[in-house]
Amino acid sequence: NEKNVNKRRLKVCVATCNRADYSKLAPIMFGLKSHPEEFELEVVVLGSHLIDDYGNTFRMIEQDDFDIGSKLHTIVRGEDEAAMVESVGLALVKLPDVLQRLHPDILVVHGDRFDALALATAAALMNIRILHLEGGEVSGTIDDSIRHAISKLAHYHACCTRMAEQHLIAMCEDHSRILLAGCPSYDKLLSTYHRDDYVDIIKSWLGDKVKDQDYIVALQHPVTTDIQHSIKIYGLMLDALISFNKKTLILFPNIDAGSKEMVRVMRKKGIEQHPNFRAVKHIPFEQFIQLVCHAGCMIGNSSCGVREAGAFGTPVINLGTRQTGRETGENVLHVRDADTHNKIYHALELQFGKRYPCSKIYGDGNAVPRILKFLSNIDLEEPLQKTFCFPPVKDSFSQDIDHILETQSALAVDLGGTNLRVAIVCMRGNIVKKYTESNPKTFEDRMHLILKMCKDAVQDGVHLNCRILGVGISTGGRVNPQEGIVLHSTKLIQEWSSVDLRTPISDALGLPVWVDNDGNCAALAERKFGHGRGVENFVTVITGTGIGGGIIHNHELIHGSTFCAAELGHIKVSLEGPECSCGNQGCIEAFASGMALQREAKRLHDEDQLMVDGMEMKLSEQITAAHLISAARNGNSKADAVLHKATMALGAGIVNILHIVNPSLVILSGVLASYYQAPVQHVITERALFSAQCIKVVKSDLEEPALLGAASMVLDYATRRTY
């Protein structure tokens, strides 16, 4: 008792920003005012309270006989995202002077508004204790982020529901500083909604002919994370209400970004002049309670619909996503999306005139006494610094660098003409596990198989202790790596043009995805794992079924303005050579690719000019480029002439490359690299300009350049390389 006698009054500052939060804060303010021996109340008013378009609602605070210590004009008009940010900044500029002058022991902040975020930020930085009301709730919009941010800044919490309390605990807030109080507005509405004069209130707002439960209350606010969609839903709601032909009390939306456009929609549809509508900017809370209580239905996305209306059993239609995640009673019917007003109209038919059991999810009418007791027990001597109750975390079982390198991995996909391959590749370039399937012929089957193989690999990665950082895809054809789209594919991969690979795979796996041409991937593989490590400028040439490659300049891969750079196989070395797959004649690929050599081998075989002594071949064996090379090595002059022409074509093309980009190294990759290396080096020595004759041609040592290149896109990202 002696301690209580000597205890000084707690100076509590209540800051209110708009009509909605005042309805929650007013009962607490009345409670504080009724105990002057314990509490000293200071009132700060800011935000839309002071704007005429929103009803100058600060007057109702004065009518409730509260002394407003400070009025701060903090709203920057514009009703868009930028205006909201500027309003927060303006509030942060003005609040320090007020808080420094008032020097409260504790600041009471409500909810999830951007104004409240400015209040909490200013108070936290000025070492003022914060009590946050209604933290821990979930509503499905940017309000969630703001509400949780205020909770992290606040020192104490008065929440409304058991679930909200559990959310705050899950957010690592100190359980001893969380009060499960219920909603303060319930203290007022549960004790006053049985008023005898409710009929007079209905008539004063809607006219003498309107009867109990024969009208609608509509209140719709913008969803700041999807403004255009919320405007669309608002227009559909108005259309449905016009068609439904019932007297409707419609409140203007709040000041969030998008409200100006919503008001335009309202006025364009003539709502303010429509005989069935009464459009108002503000209604005193006590009267609003009566109107909601006795309405035939409430429609919109206001929190009042999912919170206060449940206490009366009023049927509610909740539109859109603004209250997604809120706890609701059985009185709420959700219409999360609609393309026409028919769905909303049907919801009105289902809900209008019904009554539901009263719900007390958000309070039992005793929140204020609990909050006052909670405030009176705050020990101002305890440290101001917040502590968080983090859950226990297992110690890392290894900090060894080799372990880290082994576990950070990429998922690599190589889309070839014949096979589809997926591999888990670790940071060192080792292939941990590889999967191979035949590449399906149709687009749908191919996509289905890619996703299945990737999902299987991700699951295996968990068991192999590999942390998959992302997915890299190597594919034939021309690719837009910025968008992850295959623009034009090769003839080997049918139905594979204008294909978005990034989006479906990223959505399915929840991982970032990179896509590039197989030639570019081979160059990336050499840059990270092969002969190109540390080399500033080099060219990789793939000599396989086709001819491709990639160019590294100043350590970076060159894509070109239309992603057509390094199409090395389509450099023309003859005006009249054989036809190429691209439609031209005389390309390197038409002379020196595996397909070109196979074509010539078949021609010689058909003319009985391929086989020579020392060669063996089964009757059923398919003719390939390898048979042509074997024939040449066994003295077949015609096979040797074909290979000489192929070598000269490839060598001439590479000389052209040397004269254009002047790399310091040429890396040959693919199944024909070992055959072409020495002859191409010889052509360079004979045909290149003197200053380029010294450039070396080396054979790649990488066994899987396409997979390693695809993986390198991911692994370079993980180590913060710019790709």
Side-chain angles (χ1 to χ4, degrees):
N1 289 334
E2 183 179 345
K3 181 180 178 182
N4 289 336
V5 169
N6 295 328
K7 186 178 179 182
R8 71 174 178 83
R9 293 193 302 167
L10 188 72
K11 193 172 187 179
V12 181
C13 177
V14 178
T16 173
C17 309
N18 54 64
R19 67 191 180 198
D21 78 5
Y22 180 65
S23 69
K24 315 294 176 65
L25 293 169
I28 299 173
M29 294 163 65
F30 280 114
L32 293 168
K33 191 176 180 180
S34 67
H35 292 80
E37 72 286 353
E38 289 188 70
F39 305 105
E40 178 184 353
L41 174 63
E42 294 285 353
V43 180
V44 174
V45 173
L46 64 158
S48 59
H49 273 308
L50 303 170
I51 296 179
D52 181 62
D53 285 354
Y54 294 89
N56 280 326
T57 49
F58 74 90
R59 294 197 182 101
M60 68 183 179
I61 303 172
E62 294 175 336
Q63 290 167 3
D64 286 338
D65 202 26
F66 289 113
D67 294 327
I68 300 176
S70 299
K71 295 178 184 175
L72 299 180
H73 291 271
T74 58
I75 296 298
V76 176
R77 300 307 300 273
E79 286 75 28
D80 60 11
E81 296 95 330
M84 291 167 64
V85 178
E86 290 168 354
S87 296
V88 172
L90 183 58
L92 287 172
V93 169
K94 292 187 174 184
L95 279 168
D97 287 341
V98 173
L99 294 177
Q100 201 163 35
R101 173 172 55 81
L102 297 177
H103 195 61
D105 296 314
I106 190 159
L107 175 72
V108 180
V109 179
H110 167 267
D112 48 26
R113 307 288 303 141
F114 59 86
D115 324 68
L117 179 61
L119 283 161
T121 302
L125 291 172
M126 296 180 71
N127 291 324
I128 297 170
R129 298 169 193 268
I130 302 166
L131 171 65
H132 183 210
L133 302 181
E134 295 189 8
E137 296 185 19
V138 177
S139 57
T141 68
I142 189 63
D143 293 352
D144 277 344
S145 300
I146 294 175
R147 186 187 310 109
H148 298 336
I150 296 172
S151 291
K152 301 317 293 179
L153 292 168
H155 304 82
Y156 307 96
H157 311 273
C159 58
C160 297
T161 69
R162 181 72 64 185
M163 186 178 292
E165 180 187 37
Q166 293 303 312
H167 288 163
L168 287 169
I169 293 170
M171 290 164 64
C172 305
E173 293 299 308
D174 186 346
H175 195 182
S176 67
R177 294 190 172 196
I178 302 172
L179 171 68
L180 177 54
C183 182
S185 67
Y186 268 57
D187 291 25
K188 196 166 189 177
L189 65 90
L190 290 177
S191 62
T192 61
Y193 80 92
H194 290 297
R195 283 173 52 167
D196 295 332
D197 64 345
Y198 74 87
V199 174
D200 295 333
I201 293 172
I202 293 172
K203 288 181 178 179
S204 68
W205 289 99
L206 288 159
D208 294 337
K209 296 182 180 180
V210 177
K211 297 179 181 179
D212 183 12
Q213 299 185 27
D214 196 35
Y215 62 91
I216 297 169
V217 175
L219 179 52
Q220 180 91 350
H221 300 304
V223 177
T224 56
T225 50
D226 195 355
I227 293 173
Q228 292 306 313
H229 184 260
S230 62
I231 293 169
K232 168 194 160 189
I233 290 286
Y234 187 64
L236 294 176
M237 178 191 77
L238 296 178
D239 291 339
L241 288 170
I242 292 169
S243 300
F244 199 66
N245 198 30
K246 285 291 181 182
K247 200 71 175 179
T248 300
L249 179 70
I250 184 166
L251 280 80
F252 278 64
N254 65 18
I255 201 167
D256 281 352
S259 60
K260 187 186 296 183
E261 289 85 350
M262 291 176 74
V263 172
R264 286 198 193 102
V265 172
M266 180 197 293
R267 288 178 172 154
K268 187 175 181 180
K269 293 181 183 293
I271 296 300
E272 290 170 292
Q273 291 77 39
H274 197 287
N276 274 352
F277 287 83
R278 173 80 191 280
V280 297
K281 295 177 180 177
H282 168 67
I283 302 173
F285 183 67
E286 296 84 351
Q287 297 182 41
F288 187 62
I289 286 174
Q290 303 304 312
L291 292 164
V292 171
C293 173
H294 297 281
C297 180
M298 184 175 184
I299 189 170
N301 64 3
S302 168
S303 62
C304 177
V306 297
R307 296 169 64 96
E308 283 83 358
F312 316 129
T314 301
V316 173
I317 300 169
N318 180 53
L319 300 177
T321 60
R322 190 170 185 265
Q323 302 300 336
T324 298
R326 290 267 195 203
E327 298 172 72
T328 66
E330 60 182 288
N331 64 309
V332 179
L333 176 64
H334 295 280
V335 180
R336 305 200 189 281
D337 198 5
D339 294 324
T340 68
H341 76 275
N342 292 337
K343 188 183 291 186
I344 301 174
Y345 185 90
H346 186 57
L348 285 165
E349 288 182 317
L350 291 173
Q351 286 287 76
F352 186 79
K354 277 189 179 181
R355 300 316 289 178
Y356 289 89
C358 297
S359 167
K360 294 184 179 179
I361 294 173
Y362 287 94
D364 59 3
N366 296 299
V368 172
R370 295 188 185 108
I371 291 171
L372 295 183
K373 184 178 179 181
F374 187 67
L375 284 168
S376 65
N377 288 327
I378 289 176
D379 183 2
L380 298 179
E381 299 300 321
E382 69 180 4
L384 179 69
Q385 176 62 49
K386 279 188 70 170
T387 56
F388 299 102
C389 300
F390 294 109
V393 179
K394 290 182 180 180
D395 292 335
S396 175
F397 62 87
S398 175
Q399 286 298 320
D400 182 74
I401 188 66
D402 290 329
H403 171 75
I404 294 171
L405 290 174
E406 288 294 337
T407 53
Q408 289 184 330
S409 306
L411 209 58
V413 179
D414 176 29
L415 183 66
T418 304
N419 292 321
L420 176 61
R421 300 185 302 155
V422 174
I424 301 172
V425 182
C426 72
M427 191 69 78
R428 288 176 167 177
N430 297 329
I431 294 178
V432 179
K433 189 169 183 178
K434 185 166 64 174
Y435 314 76
T436 303
E437 297 281 352
S438 297
N439 197 355
K441 300 301 182 185
T442 66
F443 168 81
E444 291 80 7
D445 291 343
R446 193 176 300 131
M447 286 301 301
H448 177 76
L449 182 59
I450 290 173
L451 290 173
K452 180 183 181 301
M453 293 176 72
C454 287
K455 288 177 181 177
D456 291 344
V458 169
Q459 288 182 348
D460 289 345
V462 175
H463 302 299
L464 294 167
N465 199 33
C466 293
R467 181 159 63 91
I468 306 297
L469 302 173
V471 183
I473 302 174
S474 167
T475 180
R478 191 157 62 89
V479 175
N480 178 347
Q482 297 170 4
E483 303 293 335
I485 295 174
V486 180
L487 301 174
H488 305 292
S489 188
T490 63
K491 291 182 178 179
L492 295 175
I493 311 173
Q494 301 299 320
E495 297 184 30
W496 207 243
S497 296
S498 300
V499 175
D500 179 2
L501 287 179
R502 174 176 294 162
T503 302
I505 295 174
S506 181
D507 288 348
L509 302 180
L511 292 169
V513 175
W514 286 263
V515 187
D516 213 330
N517 165 270
D518 50 9
N520 288 337
C521 285
L524 292 173
E526 295 295 338
R527 184 183 70 178
K528 189 167 184 68
F529 303 114
H531 292 299
R533 278 181 295 182
V535 180
E536 186 175 7
N537 302 295
F538 69 89
V539 172
T540 297
V541 181
I542 301 175
T543 56
T545 305
I547 301 290
I551 300 172
I552 300 293
H553 181 68
N554 293 334
H555 298 291
E556 298 299 330
L557 182 65
I558 294 177
H559 284 105
S561 60
T562 59
F563 316 108
C564 199
E567 288 289 351
L568 307 182
H570 301 293
I571 295 174
K572 286 178 69 71
V573 291
S574 171
L575 295 177
E576 297 181 351
E579 186 177 347
C580 180
S581 61
C582 70
N584 284 321
Q585 288 181 298
C587 297
I588 297 175
E589 187 170 292
F591 286 104
S593 66
M595 289 185 67
L597 298 184
Q598 182 183 37
R599 181 192 66 231
E600 291 300 307
K602 285 182 177 179
R603 179 181 62 79
L604 290 176
H605 182 68
D606 291 343
E607 296 172 358
D608 291 330
Q609 296 181 7
L610 180 65
M611 298 300 296
V612 293
D613 292 341
M615 284 184 64
E616 294 183 3
M617 187 175 67
K618 297 177 182 178
L619 292 175
S620 59
E621 191 174 349
Q622 185 178 3
I623 302 297
T624 66
H627 294 108
L628 188 73
I629 295 171
S630 175
R633 286 174 175 168
N634 282 281
N636 187 321
S637 60
K638 292 188 180 293
D640 188 65
V642 170
L643 288 173
H644 177 72
K645 184 182 290 187
T647 299
M648 293 301 296
L650 180 61
I654 291 176
V655 167
N656 289 337
I657 296 168
L658 300 185
H659 292 167
I660 295 169
V661 296
N662 194 29
S664 57
L665 183 67
V666 176
I667 304 170
L668 295 184
S669 179
V671 294
L672 297 172
S674 57
Y675 173 79
Y676 280 133
Q677 180 189 0
V680 167
Q681 185 76 72
H682 182 71
V683 173
I684 291 173
T685 303
E686 286 190 338
R687 301 291 183 91
L689 294 173
F690 179 77
S691 56
Q693 291 176 4
C694 61
I695 294 172
K696 279 194 171 185
V697 178
V698 298
K699 183 182 77 69
S700 174
D701 293 332
L702 303 178
E703 293 184 8
E704 299 283 2
L707 287 173
L708 292 178
S712 76
M713 292 188 284
V714 178
L715 300 175
D716 282 349
Y717 159 80
T719 54
R720 299 299 185 268
R721 273 193 67 94
T722 301
Y723 172 65

